[in-house]
Amino acid sequence: MSDDPPAAAVGERLTRVASALFAIVFAFLVANAVTVPGTNLAASLGLVSEGSNGYRLLQTLLQFAGFVAAIAGYLAVTDQWDLARASRPTAREAGIIVGGGVLLFGFQYGALFALDQIGLSTGQNQAVVPGGDPVTYYLAMIAVSLAVVGPVEELLFRGVVQGGIRRAFDAAPAILIASVAFGLIHLPAVSGTMVEQWAYVGVVVVLGAVLGAFYEWTDNVVVPGLVHGVYNAVTYVVLLAQVV
């Protein structure tokens, strides 16, 4: 007797995965629809100069505002508000947040060192390249990372995507699929050779898997959101220390 799941169950699983991955596409479409006209308008009004720190920060804020709007729309249309499981971190979770951010940062540098030993390097994410005074940019990005980038990306990739796939699969496949998607969306923003770009994606996939494990462990999207924010903020702190 076969233990294969019935076709209906397979179809439902595929539908849930497709729906979760569509949320990413939808988020980027909405973000693009908000970011491009918003930054163009600000530049035309003389509020920011194209390519400047202000322009790059405005791009980031508008992009993530678009993500939030898309996430809210997706959850409303699919009636899956319970995917956004968020609560105030407990004392234990606060420890996880601080320790997790440091852990991710340490892993990144360990991975870079290991790659260097075999003659490989990763590309550079353009988000860390200032458009003007680096001190001003890095200080601003420390705050933006903690308050916006980390929490919103995790709401999308761990809450909506991993959470949605989790309804079709066990934790490991859900974490893996969400993490691979998380790595791939960073590819267009990475400079360097093809090998360097894919090495960067590989590191991000592992970082995403760790964040996914934190979400699975705590069932609170605020935890990976702030872990991610702390990790990004520490990265900018190190960059800041190199220029002051």
Side-chain angles (χ1 to χ4, degrees):
M1 186 167 103
S2 172
D3 291 328
D4 292 340
V10 173
E12 182 179 353
R13 286 185 174 186
L14 292 176
T15 298
R16 287 195 178 279
V17 173
S19 176
L21 295 179
F22 171 75
I24 302 173
V25 176
F26 181 57
F28 275 88
L29 289 174
V30 173
N32 189 63
V34 171
T35 303
V36 173
T39 50
N40 287 344
L41 176 61
S44 67
L45 293 175
L47 300 177
V48 294
S49 300
E50 187 170 352
S52 66
N53 280 342
Y55 186 88
R56 291 174 61 78
L57 289 169
L58 180 61
Q59 275 186 316
T60 299
L61 293 174
L62 288 176
Q63 178 185 19
F64 282 86
F67 282 171
V68 171
I71 291 167
Y74 174 84
L75 295 177
V77 170
T78 61
D79 193 24
Q80 295 186 94
W81 289 104
D82 55 326
L83 288 179
R85 296 190 297 276
S87 60
R88 181 177 179 177
T90 63
R92 167 179 165 272
E93 290 173 338
I96 293 172
I97 289 166
V98 175
V102 174
L103 173 67
L104 289 187
F105 186 78
F107 167 78
Q108 179 194 30
Y109 272 80
L112 294 178
F113 177 79
L115 288 171
D116 184 64
Q117 297 308 298
I118 59 175
L120 291 177
S121 62
T122 64
Q124 184 180 51
N125 191 323
Q126 294 306 295
V128 303
V129 180
D133 176 31
V135 173
T136 302
Y137 182 72
Y138 294 148
L139 285 172
M141 286 305 295
I142 289 170
V144 171
S145 294
L146 287 167
V148 179
V149 176
V152 175
E153 281 197 350
E154 293 309 300
L155 178 59
L156 175 59
F157 284 94
R158 253 46 72 180
V160 174
V161 179
Q162 182 176 315
I165 297 172
R166 186 70 170 86
R167 292 180 169 176
F169 293 98
D170 291 334
I175 291 172
L176 177 61
I177 295 171
S179 299
V180 170
F182 180 62
L184 290 175
I185 64 97
H186 285 80
L187 185 60
V190 180
S191 62
T193 67
M194 183 178 295
V195 172
E196 291 172 337
Q197 289 174 316
W198 282 104
Y200 183 95
V201 169
V203 172
V204 173
V205 169
V206 177
L207 294 175
V210 175
L211 290 165
F214 281 134
Y215 184 44
E216 184 69 26
W217 183 17
T218 62
D219 199 34
N220 181 3
V221 76
V222 174
V223 174
L226 291 180
V227 169
H228 188 160
V230 168
Y231 159 73
N232 281 7
V234 171
T235 299
Y236 285 110
V237 167
V238 171
L239 292 170
L240 178 63
Q242 293 172 352
V243 298
V244 296

